[in-house]
Amino acid sequence: MTVRYVTHVRRTGAAALMVATLTLSVAACGGDDGSGAQNKAPSNSSTSHKQEKTPSSGGETVPQTSEVLVTVKGDSGIEMVINTAKRDSGGFLTVNGQFKNTGSGIYTTPIQWSGQESAVAATGRSLAGMTLVDSQAKKRYYVLRDTDNRPLTTSGYEPSIEAGKTLTFFAQFPAPDQSTNQVDLQFPGFANATIEIS
């Protein structure tokens, strides 16, 4: 056996191993429908006060958006639509909605949407600037945070919304007292929005 023959066999074996590895890698990455869609809303979305979900093509669930509690117009053609504000058994209130760019140009999301707390801002782009006000009980509720100061709201979204596009969002708050059935939602760039709690 010559050195040249051994070198040829080793190269052929290495090439075969590389092809097999790439084939397995491609097979393992299958199942992506290419849409790039992510399920950013929590699983407790509802429509008409019922626990209903619509499956997407990828087997995920997307929030129902047929119900509209309130629509608030912002500047530069952006609208904030609140679809649901629902209590859950864990003592939380989850608000689901959409930001719709109804203008003709790209809307750049303001840095103020992430709130003013430096610890939260360090976790990246979010909707931590959203608050709820219970004027009857004279209380203000902020978006909940996890143990790493990450807000329990839609985060990591693109810095802009193209014309005609929508950014679906959720934000989770401590639930107001059971006697409270209406709160004001406040968010930078929009007027106060009074919403009904279900």
Side-chain angles (χ1 to χ4, degrees), residues 88-132:
D88 65 23
S89 58
F92 306 117
L93 174 70
T94 303
V95 175
N96 288 293
Q98 309 164 70
F99 293 106
K100 295 183 176 181
N101 183 356
T102 59
S104 57
I106 293 175
Y107 179 81
T108 302
T109 58
I111 193 70
Q112 290 85 356
W113 283 15
S114 296
Q116 298 180 349
E117 296 178 50
S118 56
V120 175
T123 65
R125 202 173 285 113
S126 73
L127 304 179
M130 192 174 289
T131 59
L132 296 179

mmCIF file of all heavy atoms in Angstrom, residues 88-132:
data_model
loop_
_atom_site.group_PDB
_atom_site.id
_atom_site.type_symbol
_atom_site.label_atom_id
_atom_site.label_comp_id
_atom_site.label_asym_id
_atom_site.label_seq_id
_atom_site.Cartn_x
_atom_site.Cartn_y
_atom_site.Cartn_z
ATOM 1 N N ASP A 88 -56.821 36.317 34.324
ATOM 2 C CA ASP A 88 -56.698 34.870 34.407
ATOM 3 C C ASP A 88 -56.663 34.451 35.864
ATOM 4 O O ASP A 88 -56.608 35.285 36.770
ATOM 5 C CB ASP A 88 -55.485 34.340 33.623
ATOM 6 C CG ASP A 88 -54.165 34.794 34.182
ATOM 7 O OD1 ASP A 88 -54.104 35.147 35.378
ATOM 8 O OD2 ASP A 88 -53.178 34.806 33.433
ATOM 9 N N SER A 89 -56.706 33.153 36.087
ATOM 10 C CA SER A 89 -56.832 32.639 37.451
ATOM 11 C C SER A 89 -55.585 32.876 38.299
ATOM 12 O O SER A 89 -55.636 32.773 39.516
ATOM 13 C CB SER A 89 -57.147 31.139 37.410
ATOM 14 O OG SER A 89 -56.122 30.445 36.701
ATOM 15 N N GLY A 90 -54.471 33.207 37.688
ATOM 16 C CA GLY A 90 -53.239 33.433 38.446
ATOM 17 C C GLY A 90 -53.101 34.828 39.002
ATOM 18 O O GLY A 90 -52.078 35.161 39.602
ATOM 19 N N GLY A 91 -54.122 35.672 38.808
ATOM 20 C CA GLY A 91 -54.060 37.029 39.330
ATOM 21 C C GLY A 91 -53.404 38.013 38.376
ATOM 22 O O GLY A 91 -52.897 39.050 38.796
ATOM 23 N N PHE A 92 -53.410 37.684 37.080
ATOM 24 C CA PHE A 92 -52.811 38.551 36.074
ATOM 25 C C PHE A 92 -53.881 39.100 35.146
ATOM 26 O O PHE A 92 -54.983 38.551 35.035
ATOM 27 C CB PHE A 92 -51.781 37.792 35.237
ATOM 28 C CG PHE A 92 -50.730 37.104 36.061
ATOM 29 C CD1 PHE A 92 -50.604 35.721 36.044
ATOM 30 C CD2 PHE A 92 -49.874 37.832 36.857
ATOM 31 C CE1 PHE A 92 -49.647 35.083 36.814
ATOM 32 C CE2 PHE A 92 -48.908 37.212 37.630
ATOM 33 C CZ PHE A 92 -48.787 35.825 37.606
ATOM 34 N N LEU A 93 -53.542 40.178 34.476
ATOM 35 C CA LEU A 93 -54.382 40.745 33.433
ATOM 36 C C LEU A 93 -53.543 40.826 32.168
ATOM 37 O O LEU A 93 -52.482 41.451 32.170
ATOM 38 C CB LEU A 93 -54.881 42.141 33.830
ATOM 39 C CG LEU A 93 -55.664 42.895 32.761
ATOM 40 C CD1 LEU A 93 -57.020 42.245 32.531
ATOM 41 C CD2 LEU A 93 -55.844 44.351 33.161
ATOM 42 N N THR A 94 -54.000 40.184 31.106
ATOM 43 C CA THR A 94 -53.249 40.187 29.852
ATOM 44 C C THR A 94 -53.993 41.012 28.819
ATOM 45 O O THR A 94 -55.180 40.777 28.560
ATOM 46 C CB THR A 94 -53.044 38.752 29.323
ATOM 47 O OG1 THR A 94 -52.372 37.991 30.322
ATOM 48 C CG2 THR A 94 -52.198 38.761 28.046
ATOM 49 N N VAL A 95 -53.291 41.983 28.244
ATOM 50 C CA VAL A 95 -53.840 42.835 27.194
ATOM 51 C C VAL A 95 -53.254 42.373 25.871
ATOM 52 O O VAL A 95 -52.039 42.222 25.732
ATOM 53 C CB VAL A 95 -53.485 44.320 27.445
ATOM 54 C CG1 VAL A 95 -53.957 45.192 26.285
ATOM 55 C CG2 VAL A 95 -54.073 44.800 28.760
ATOM 56 N N ASN A 96 -54.130 42.107 24.898
ATOM 57 C CA ASN A 96 -53.708 41.725 23.546
ATOM 58 C C ASN A 96 -54.153 42.796 22.568
ATOM 59 O O ASN A 96 -55.250 43.353 22.702
ATOM 60 C CB ASN A 96 -54.345 40.394 23.127
ATOM 61 C CG ASN A 96 -53.741 39.225 23.860
ATOM 62 O OD1 ASN A 96 -52.583 38.889 23.666
ATOM 63 N ND2 ASN A 96 -54.523 38.605 24.732
ATOM 64 N N GLY A 97 -53.316 43.080 21.594
ATOM 65 C CA GLY A 97 -53.671 44.082 20.608
ATOM 66 C C GLY A 97 -52.733 44.090 19.425
ATOM 67 O O GLY A 97 -51.959 43.144 19.211
ATOM 68 N N GLN A 98 -52.817 45.169 18.647
ATOM 69 C CA GLN A 98 -52.023 45.307 17.432
ATOM 70 C C GLN A 98 -51.639 46.765 17.227
ATOM 71 O O GLN A 98 -52.415 47.656 17.576
ATOM 72 C CB GLN A 98 -52.832 44.866 16.201
ATOM 73 C CG GLN A 98 -53.479 43.511 16.300
ATOM 74 C CD GLN A 98 -54.531 43.367 15.222
ATOM 75 O OE1 GLN A 98 -54.201 43.275 14.036
ATOM 76 N NE2 GLN A 98 -55.797 43.371 15.607
ATOM 77 N N PHE A 99 -50.463 46.964 16.678
ATOM 78 C CA PHE A 99 -50.081 48.273 16.163
ATOM 79 C C PHE A 99 -50.175 48.178 14.640
ATOM 80 O O PHE A 99 -49.522 47.329 14.033
ATOM 81 C CB PHE A 99 -48.657 48.650 16.580
ATOM 82 C CG PHE A 99 -48.504 48.878 18.048
ATOM 83 C CD1 PHE A 99 -47.870 47.951 18.851
ATOM 84 C CD2 PHE A 99 -49.021 50.027 18.642
ATOM 85 C CE1 PHE A 99 -47.735 48.155 20.211
ATOM 86 C CE2 PHE A 99 -48.895 50.230 20.016
ATOM 87 C CZ PHE A 99 -48.250 49.297 20.797
ATOM 88 N N LYS A 100 -50.992 49.036 14.049
ATOM 89 C CA LYS A 100 -51.198 49.001 12.601
ATOM 90 C C LYS A 100 -50.621 50.273 11.983
ATOM 91 O O LYS A 100 -50.964 51.381 12.402
ATOM 92 C CB LYS A 100 -52.686 48.913 12.263
ATOM 93 C CG LYS A 100 -53.340 47.621 12.713
ATOM 94 C CD LYS A 100 -54.799 47.589 12.272
ATOM 95 C CE LYS A 100 -55.435 46.262 12.625
ATOM 96 N NZ LYS A 100 -56.847 46.192 12.183
ATOM 97 N N ASN A 101 -49.772 50.095 10.992
ATOM 98 C CA ASN A 101 -49.241 51.241 10.256
ATOM 99 C C ASN A 101 -50.167 51.508 9.081
ATOM 100 O O ASN A 101 -50.099 50.846 8.056
ATOM 101 C CB ASN A 101 -47.819 50.967 9.774
ATOM 102 C CG ASN A 101 -47.206 52.172 9.074
ATOM 103 O OD1 ASN A 101 -47.865 53.194 8.884
ATOM 104 N ND2 ASN A 101 -45.949 52.062 8.705
ATOM 105 N N THR A 102 -51.057 52.479 9.251
ATOM 106 C CA THR A 102 -52.006 52.823 8.199
ATOM 107 C C THR A 102 -51.472 53.937 7.295
ATOM 108 O O THR A 102 -52.159 54.354 6.373
ATOM 109 C CB THR A 102 -53.350 53.269 8.816
ATOM 110 O OG1 THR A 102 -53.114 54.398 9.674
ATOM 111 C CG2 THR A 102 -53.975 52.139 9.625
ATOM 112 N N GLY A 103 -50.263 54.409 7.588
ATOM 113 C CA GLY A 103 -49.658 55.465 6.778
ATOM 114 C C GLY A 103 -49.027 54.915 5.513
ATOM 115 O O GLY A 103 -49.041 53.706 5.243
ATOM 116 N N SER A 104 -48.430 55.807 4.743
ATOM 117 C CA SER A 104 -47.827 55.411 3.467
ATOM 118 C C SER A 104 -46.328 55.157 3.572
ATOM 119 O O SER A 104 -45.705 54.669 2.634
ATOM 120 C CB SER A 104 -48.074 56.493 2.409
ATOM 121 O OG SER A 104 -47.550 57.735 2.854
ATOM 122 N N GLY A 105 -45.737 55.473 4.724
ATOM 123 C CA GLY A 105 -44.299 55.274 4.897
ATOM 124 C C GLY A 105 -43.991 54.340 6.049
ATOM 125 O O GLY A 105 -44.878 53.854 6.754
ATOM 126 N N ILE A 106 -42.711 54.089 6.253
ATOM 127 C CA ILE A 106 -42.262 53.228 7.347
ATOM 128 C C ILE A 106 -42.403 53.982 8.671
ATOM 129 O O ILE A 106 -42.052 55.159 8.760
ATOM 130 C CB ILE A 106 -40.804 52.793 7.126
ATOM 131 C CG1 ILE A 106 -40.707 51.873 5.911
ATOM 132 C CG2 ILE A 106 -40.251 52.090 8.361
ATOM 133 C CD1 ILE A 106 -39.289 51.491 5.543
ATOM 134 N N TYR A 107 -42.931 53.309 9.688
ATOM 135 C CA TYR A 107 -43.059 53.897 11.015
ATOM 136 C C TYR A 107 -41.938 53.347 11.892
ATOM 137 O O TYR A 107 -41.809 52.133 12.067
ATOM 138 C CB TYR A 107 -44.417 53.568 11.637
ATOM 139 C CG TYR A 107 -44.571 54.135 13.029
ATOM 140 C CD1 TYR A 107 -44.915 55.470 13.209
ATOM 141 C CD2 TYR A 107 -44.352 53.348 14.149
ATOM 142 C CE1 TYR A 107 -45.035 56.007 14.486
ATOM 143 C CE2 TYR A 107 -44.478 53.871 15.424
ATOM 144 C CZ TYR A 107 -44.821 55.201 15.586
ATOM 145 O OH TYR A 107 -44.935 55.732 16.846
ATOM 146 N N THR A 108 -41.113 54.236 12.432
ATOM 147 C CA THR A 108 -40.022 53.829 13.319
ATOM 148 C C THR A 108 -40.531 53.836 14.753
ATOM 149 O O THR A 108 -41.023 54.857 15.240
ATOM 150 C CB THR A 108 -38.822 54.786 13.182
ATOM 151 O OG1 THR A 108 -38.385 54.791 11.823
ATOM 152 C CG2 THR A 108 -37.674 54.332 14.080
ATOM 153 N N THR A 109 -40.428 52.693 15.416
ATOM 154 C CA THR A 109 -40.936 52.583 16.784
ATOM 155 C C THR A 109 -40.064 53.390 17.741
ATOM 156 O O THR A 109 -38.842 53.255 17.732
ATOM 157 C CB THR A 109 -40.983 51.110 17.236
ATOM 158 O OG1 THR A 109 -39.680 50.548 17.150
ATOM 159 C CG2 THR A 109 -41.935 50.308 16.360
ATOM 160 N N PRO A 110 -40.673 54.242 18.573
ATOM 161 C CA PRO A 110 -39.903 55.097 19.480
ATOM 162 C C PRO A 110 -39.236 54.300 20.598
ATOM 163 O O PRO A 110 -39.775 53.285 21.048
ATOM 164 C CB PRO A 110 -40.950 56.055 20.060
ATOM 165 C CG PRO A 110 -42.206 55.828 19.312
ATOM 166 C CD PRO A 110 -42.104 54.500 18.648
ATOM 167 N N ILE A 111 -38.122 54.775 21.050
ATOM 168 C CA ILE A 111 -37.400 54.142 22.157
ATOM 169 C C ILE A 111 -38.225 54.216 23.446
ATOM 170 O O ILE A 111 -38.087 53.373 24.335
ATOM 171 C CB ILE A 111 -36.002 54.792 22.340
ATOM 172 C CG1 ILE A 111 -35.116 53.933 23.261
ATOM 173 C CG2 ILE A 111 -36.121 56.199 22.877
ATOM 174 C CD1 ILE A 111 -34.674 52.647 22.667
ATOM 175 N N GLN A 112 -39.133 55.201 23.543
ATOM 176 C CA GLN A 112 -39.962 55.368 24.737
ATOM 177 C C GLN A 112 -40.888 54.179 24.966
ATOM 178 O O GLN A 112 -41.369 53.964 26.079
ATOM 179 C CB GLN A 112 -40.804 56.650 24.641
ATOM 180 C CG GLN A 112 -40.002 57.919 24.751
ATOM 181 C CD GLN A 112 -39.419 58.356 23.404
ATOM 182 O OE1 GLN A 112 -39.565 57.667 22.398
ATOM 183 N NE2 GLN A 112 -38.748 59.497 23.396
ATOM 184 N N TRP A 113 -41.155 53.397 23.922
ATOM 185 C CA TRP A 113 -42.022 52.225 24.081
ATOM 186 C C TRP A 113 -41.429 51.246 25.104
ATOM 187 O O TRP A 113 -42.144 50.509 25.747
ATOM 188 C CB TRP A 113 -42.222 51.524 22.738
ATOM 189 C CG TRP A 113 -43.192 52.204 21.829
ATOM 190 C CD1 TRP A 113 -43.683 53.472 21.932
ATOM 191 C CD2 TRP A 113 -43.798 51.643 20.664
ATOM 192 N NE1 TRP A 113 -44.534 53.741 20.897
ATOM 193 C CE2 TRP A 113 -44.629 52.644 20.108
ATOM 194 C CE3 TRP A 113 -43.708 50.416 20.026
ATOM 195 C CZ2 TRP A 113 -45.382 52.418 18.955
ATOM 196 C CZ3 TRP A 113 -44.439 50.205 18.883
ATOM 197 C CH2 TRP A 113 -45.281 51.196 18.346
ATOM 198 N N SER A 114 -40.107 51.233 25.244
ATOM 199 C CA SER A 114 -39.446 50.291 26.157
ATOM 200 C C SER A 114 -39.470 50.753 27.609
ATOM 201 O O SER A 114 -39.013 50.029 28.490
ATOM 202 C CB SER A 114 -37.990 50.079 25.725
ATOM 203 O OG SER A 114 -37.948 49.482 24.451
ATOM 204 N N GLY A 115 -39.984 51.939 27.875
ATOM 205 C CA GLY A 115 -40.047 52.444 29.247
ATOM 206 C C GLY A 115 -38.780 53.173 29.652
ATOM 207 O O GLY A 115 -37.816 53.267 28.883
ATOM 208 N N GLN A 116 -38.773 53.681 30.881
ATOM 209 C CA GLN A 116 -37.666 54.504 31.358
ATOM 210 C C GLN A 116 -36.730 53.792 32.320
ATOM 211 O O GLN A 116 -35.710 54.344 32.698
ATOM 212 C CB GLN A 116 -38.227 55.759 32.028
ATOM 213 C CG GLN A 116 -39.019 56.631 31.074
ATOM 214 C CD GLN A 116 -39.573 57.865 31.746
ATOM 215 O OE1 GLN A 116 -39.551 57.995 32.962
ATOM 216 N NE2 GLN A 116 -40.094 58.782 30.954
ATOM 217 N N GLU A 117 -37.063 52.587 32.731
ATOM 218 C CA GLU A 117 -36.211 51.872 33.679
ATOM 219 C C GLU A 117 -34.986 51.319 32.966
ATOM 220 O O GLU A 117 -35.102 50.564 32.005
ATOM 221 C CB GLU A 117 -36.980 50.728 34.331
ATOM 222 C CG GLU A 117 -38.144 51.194 35.182
ATOM 223 C CD GLU A 117 -38.898 50.023 35.769
ATOM 224 O OE1 GLU A 117 -38.254 49.145 36.357
ATOM 225 O OE2 GLU A 117 -40.126 49.996 35.618
ATOM 226 N N SER A 118 -33.806 51.698 33.428
ATOM 227 C CA SER A 118 -32.573 51.281 32.751
ATOM 228 C C SER A 118 -32.373 49.773 32.811
ATOM 229 O O SER A 118 -31.879 49.174 31.852
ATOM 230 C CB SER A 118 -31.362 51.994 33.358
ATOM 231 O OG SER A 118 -31.289 51.757 34.757
ATOM 232 N N ALA A 119 -32.777 49.119 33.899
ATOM 233 C CA ALA A 119 -32.607 47.664 34.010
ATOM 234 C C ALA A 119 -33.456 46.938 32.976
ATOM 235 O O ALA A 119 -33.035 45.941 32.383
ATOM 236 C CB ALA A 119 -32.968 47.190 35.411
ATOM 237 N N VAL A 120 -34.660 47.449 32.725
ATOM 238 C CA VAL A 120 -35.537 46.841 31.725
ATOM 239 C C VAL A 120 -35.066 47.188 30.320
ATOM 240 O O VAL A 120 -35.049 46.338 29.428
ATOM 241 C CB VAL A 120 -36.999 47.297 31.938
ATOM 242 C CG1 VAL A 120 -37.891 46.781 30.830
ATOM 243 C CG2 VAL A 120 -37.505 46.822 33.288
ATOM 244 N N ALA A 121 -34.658 48.434 30.112
ATOM 245 C CA ALA A 121 -34.182 48.851 28.794
ATOM 246 C C ALA A 121 -32.969 48.046 28.354
ATOM 247 O O ALA A 121 -32.766 47.807 27.163
ATOM 248 C CB ALA A 121 -33.860 50.340 28.803
ATOM 249 N N ALA A 122 -32.177 47.590 29.321
ATOM 250 C CA ALA A 122 -30.984 46.809 28.990
ATOM 251 C C ALA A 122 -31.326 45.444 28.419
ATOM 252 O O ALA A 122 -30.473 44.793 27.817
ATOM 253 C CB ALA A 122 -30.118 46.637 30.238
ATOM 254 N N THR A 123 -32.571 44.998 28.580
ATOM 255 C CA THR A 123 -32.967 43.692 28.051
ATOM 256 C C THR A 123 -33.396 43.766 26.589
ATOM 257 O O THR A 123 -33.703 42.741 25.992
ATOM 258 C CB THR A 123 -34.114 43.078 28.883
ATOM 259 O OG1 THR A 123 -35.281 43.902 28.754
ATOM 260 C CG2 THR A 123 -33.729 42.940 30.342
ATOM 261 N N GLY A 124 -33.434 44.964 26.012
ATOM 262 C CA GLY A 124 -33.768 45.105 24.589
ATOM 263 C C GLY A 124 -35.107 45.782 24.363
ATOM 264 O O GLY A 124 -35.781 46.228 25.300
ATOM 265 N N ARG A 125 -35.495 45.844 23.107
ATOM 266 C CA ARG A 125 -36.726 46.516 22.693
ATOM 267 C C ARG A 125 -37.942 45.781 23.261
ATOM 268 O O ARG A 125 -38.049 44.561 23.161
ATOM 269 C CB ARG A 125 -36.778 46.505 21.164
ATOM 270 C CG ARG A 125 -37.653 47.540 20.553
ATOM 271 C CD ARG A 125 -37.489 47.558 19.038
ATOM 272 N NE ARG A 125 -36.231 48.180 18.663
ATOM 273 C CZ ARG A 125 -35.218 47.532 18.093
ATOM 274 N NH1 ARG A 125 -35.312 46.257 17.821
ATOM 275 N NH2 ARG A 125 -34.117 48.166 17.785
ATOM 276 N N SER A 126 -38.880 46.542 23.888
ATOM 277 C CA SER A 126 -40.076 45.931 24.462
ATOM 278 C C SER A 126 -41.197 46.972 24.519
ATOM 279 O O SER A 126 -41.037 48.091 24.026
ATOM 280 C CB SER A 126 -39.787 45.395 25.872
ATOM 281 O OG SER A 126 -39.662 46.471 26.788
ATOM 282 N N LEU A 127 -42.312 46.589 25.159
ATOM 283 C CA LEU A 127 -43.438 47.501 25.370
ATOM 284 C C LEU A 127 -43.614 47.795 26.857
ATOM 285 O O LEU A 127 -44.716 47.980 27.347
ATOM 286 C CB LEU A 127 -44.724 46.897 24.794
ATOM 287 C CG LEU A 127 -44.671 46.515 23.312
ATOM 288 C CD1 LEU A 127 -45.991 45.901 22.879
ATOM 289 C CD2 LEU A 127 -44.327 47.709 22.438
ATOM 290 N N ALA A 128 -42.497 47.835 27.589
ATOM 291 C CA ALA A 128 -42.535 48.033 29.037
ATOM 292 C C ALA A 128 -43.009 49.426 29.428
ATOM 293 O O ALA A 128 -43.294 49.678 30.598
ATOM 294 C CB ALA A 128 -41.158 47.765 29.647
ATOM 295 N N GLY A 129 -43.121 50.350 28.477
ATOM 296 C CA GLY A 129 -43.634 51.678 28.772
ATOM 297 C C GLY A 129 -45.142 51.720 28.915
ATOM 298 O O GLY A 129 -45.714 52.759 29.250
ATOM 299 N N MET A 130 -45.813 50.589 28.682
ATOM 300 C CA MET A 130 -47.267 50.531 28.780
ATOM 301 C C MET A 130 -47.687 50.408 30.247
ATOM 302 O O MET A 130 -47.104 49.630 30.996
ATOM 303 C CB MET A 130 -47.772 49.320 27.980
ATOM 304 C CG MET A 130 -49.261 49.281 27.762
ATOM 305 S SD MET A 130 -49.749 47.906 26.662
ATOM 306 C CE MET A 130 -49.121 48.502 25.089
ATOM 307 N N THR A 131 -48.686 51.179 30.655
ATOM 308 C CA THR A 131 -49.205 51.114 32.024
ATOM 309 C C THR A 131 -50.734 51.092 32.002
ATOM 310 O O THR A 131 -51.355 51.520 31.027
ATOM 311 C CB THR A 131 -48.739 52.312 32.881
ATOM 312 O OG1 THR A 131 -49.195 53.531 32.269
ATOM 313 C CG2 THR A 131 -47.233 52.342 33.019
ATOM 314 N N LEU A 132 -51.301 50.605 33.089
ATOM 315 C CA LEU A 132 -52.751 50.637 33.286
ATOM 316 C C LEU A 132 -53.041 51.495 34.512
ATOM 317 O O LEU A 132 -52.326 51.414 35.513
ATOM 318 C CB LEU A 132 -53.305 49.231 33.518
ATOM 319 C CG LEU A 132 -53.179 48.226 32.378
ATOM 320 C CD1 LEU A 132 -53.766 46.883 32.806
ATOM 321 C CD2 LEU A 132 -53.859 48.728 31.122
#
